[in-house]
Amino acid sequence: NAGVMQNPRHLVRRRGQEARLRCSPMKGHSHVYWYRQLPEEGLKFMVYLQKENIIDESGMPKERFSAEFPKEGPSILRIQQVVRGDSAAYFCASSPPAGVTDTQYFGPGTRLTVL
Amino acid sequence: SQQGEEDPQALSIQEGENATMNCSYKTSINNLQWYRQNSGRGLVHLILIRSNEREKHSGRLRVTLDTSKKSSSLLITASRAADTASYFCATDAKGGSEKLVFGKGTKLTVNP
């Protein structure tokens, strides 16, 4: 059973470009979470999605950031018109349907660098 | 808002010694989890303790939870150089959306 997969692992963008980060949850997992980590900091929650639904986006910046988890395919975190402050590691986590376990399993992360 | 805080921020010990890290939080929780992160890597889940549990063991790990003090501790016994990593506690707020709130972590260095 493959773990949570994220790609790309490293992404370099120039200011004003778009960044698209992908996350494939573990098999059988229907819940996806995105977190952001700045250097020397803990992870900060961004958004929680289930298939085709955003459950909690209280940690998402109001502008330029969006997330989706379509019926088929990976979850996508999209950052439009990137700025230097968006440089960070972005982690995706997944968990199975409610009642199985509360553990969230993390992917290896995508390290975004904005030049 | 709820926030996990670990202390100490950094801990340096010799191989074979025990390492204890503490975590405090502010609101009622469903559970508390500890994760390990090696430098530049993803997070590895270590252990989950529910709000109605007081202590849990997994191999060389021992976690305690005191909900009256809103605190938890992670003990790693007989440490090894391979335990060198950052350790984070994460809480899942009661009545919340299952999102995890992380502290800033404890950076553990185990010297051979």
Side-chain angles (χ1 to χ4, degrees), chain A residues 33 37 48 56 102 104 111, chain B residues 31 35 37 40 50 97-98:
Chain A
Y33 312 80
Q37 185 180 33
Y48 162 34
D56 181 350
D102 295 331
Q104 292 183 19
R111 275 146 188 86
Chain B
N31 60 65
Y35 288 86
Q37 184 180 37
R50 299 197 180 283
S97 72
E98 301 179 27

Side-chain angles (χ1 to χ4, degrees), chain A residues 4 22 29 45 53 55-56 72 80 82 86 93 108 111 113-114:
Chain A
V4 177
R22 294 175 192 77
H29 286 195
F45 168 78
N53 284 307
I55 307 301
D56 181 350
E72 301 290 339
Q80 295 177 288
V82 296
D86 296 333
R111 275 146 188 86
T113 302
V114 180

Side-chain angles (χ1 to χ4, degrees), chain B residues 4-64:
Chain B
E5 291 281 351
E6 292 92 341
D7 80 87
Q9 289 187 330
L11 180 61
S12 182
I13 59 174
Q14 295 299 125
E15 217 168 17
E17 294 180 337
N18 296 342
T20 299
M21 289 160 268
N22 302 296
C23 167
S24 61
Y25 57 92
K26 293 181 180 174
T27 63
S28 295
I29 61 172
N30 290 317
N31 60 65
L32 184 145
Q33 305 183 51
W34 284 91
Y35 288 86
R36 183 186 74 216
Q37 184 180 37
N38 289 79
S39 181
R41 308 290 290 275
L43 275 76
V44 174
H45 183 260
L46 295 176
I47 199 164
L48 179 153
I49 186 165
R50 299 197 180 283
S51 60
N52 61 354
E53 297 175 310
R54 291 296 165 257
E55 189 171 311
K56 207 160 181 182
H57 297 255
S58 176
R60 293 184 296 114
L61 306 180
R62 174 178 166 247
V63 169
T64 63

Side-chain angles (χ1 to χ4, degrees), chain A residues 32 34 45-60 65-69 75-76, chain B residues 97:
Chain A
V32 166
W34 285 94
F45 168 78
M46 299 181 75
V47 63
Y48 162 34
L49 310 104
Q50 295 177 17
K51 285 283 187 183
E52 299 184 283
N53 284 307
I54 296 175
I55 307 301
D56 181 350
E57 56 181 348
S58 58
M60 286 279 269
F65 285 72
S66 63
E68 62 176 7
F69 188 18
S75 175
I76 306 285
Chain B
S97 72

Side-chain angles (χ1 to χ4, degrees), chain B residues 81-111:
Chain B
D83 295 329
T84 294
S86 290
Y87 291 81
F88 296 91
C89 72
T91 50
D92 169 5
K94 190 170 283 188
S97 72
E98 301 179 27
K99 68 183 182 188
L100 294 179
V101 178
F102 285 82
K104 290 187 176 181
T106 293
K107 203 165 192 174
L108 173 67
T109 302
V110 182
N111 301 299

